[in-house]
Amino acid sequence: MAQQRPRGLKEQVTGPLVIAAVLAIIAFFGTFFFATGGTNNAPQYLLALTVAGGVFVVVLVVCATLIMVEKPNDPHLGEGTGINRSSAKLYAEARARRQAREAEEARARKAEGSSAASTAEPAPRQDAGDDQRPAGGSTAAR
């Protein structure tokens, strides 16, 4: 069986915080050193703090996104009714219903055919499109 990772809040937050803090410190010193532009200029503390804060936030958001993507769903979410049902199961159920309906219709036609053969003359079949109205569509006299 696969070993489960610890799922507590402390175990999930410590790693990304350490990574974000280390990268923020590196960004702070890099920006502080390169933005100053030599020993003759004033140090750029505000710019270095702004860049370090931005790097800290961006790294935390990326780590949180990666943690959410990596965490698998519970297996019970793929079972049940409604939106959690598998489309393969729905297709199989619909196909079974359709085949059962077609088999029932075939049996009914076969039974109807055998009873019609026993009568002398079957009644003519009238389709829904064969109505007795005149072509003009009006039944009133002209």
Side-chain angles (χ1 to χ4, degrees):
M1 184 180 252
Q3 184 179 3
Q4 292 286 333
R5 288 188 340 194
R7 295 273 184 195
L9 182 63
K10 187 175 181 180
E11 288 82 8
Q12 287 184 350
V13 172
T14 305
L17 278 177
V18 170
I19 292 171
V22 168
L23 290 177
I25 290 170
I26 292 171
F28 174 81
F29 284 116
T31 304
F32 179 73
F33 179 74
F34 290 111
T36 301
T39 57
N40 294 337
N41 300 328
Q44 301 291 323
Y45 293 114
L46 187 59
L47 181 62
L49 283 174
T50 304
V51 169
V55 167
F56 183 78
V57 169
V58 168
V59 170
L60 277 182
V61 168
V62 168
C63 287
T65 304
L66 291 175
I67 287 172
M68 285 190 318
V69 167
E70 185 271 334
K71 187 169 35 171
N73 288 335
D74 290 332
H76 78 277
L77 293 177
E79 301 170 359
T81 60
I83 60 172
N84 294 328
R85 294 183 71 181
S86 169
S87 61
K89 290 178 186 175
L90 291 174
Y91 175 73
E93 290 172 1
R95 191 170 110 212
R97 282 193 305 268
R98 185 178 64 244
Q99 288 174 346
R101 186 177 62 242
E102 289 172 355
E104 182 64 32
E105 289 173 358
R107 280 194 298 269
R109 276 183 275 161
K110 188 175 183 182
E112 183 180 298
S114 65
S115 66
S118 65
T119 62
E121 189 175 314
R125 186 172 165 203
Q126 183 178 1
D127 289 337
D130 295 340
D131 52 358
Q132 302 300 324
R133 280 187 252 141
S138 172
T139 57
R142 292 180 194 197

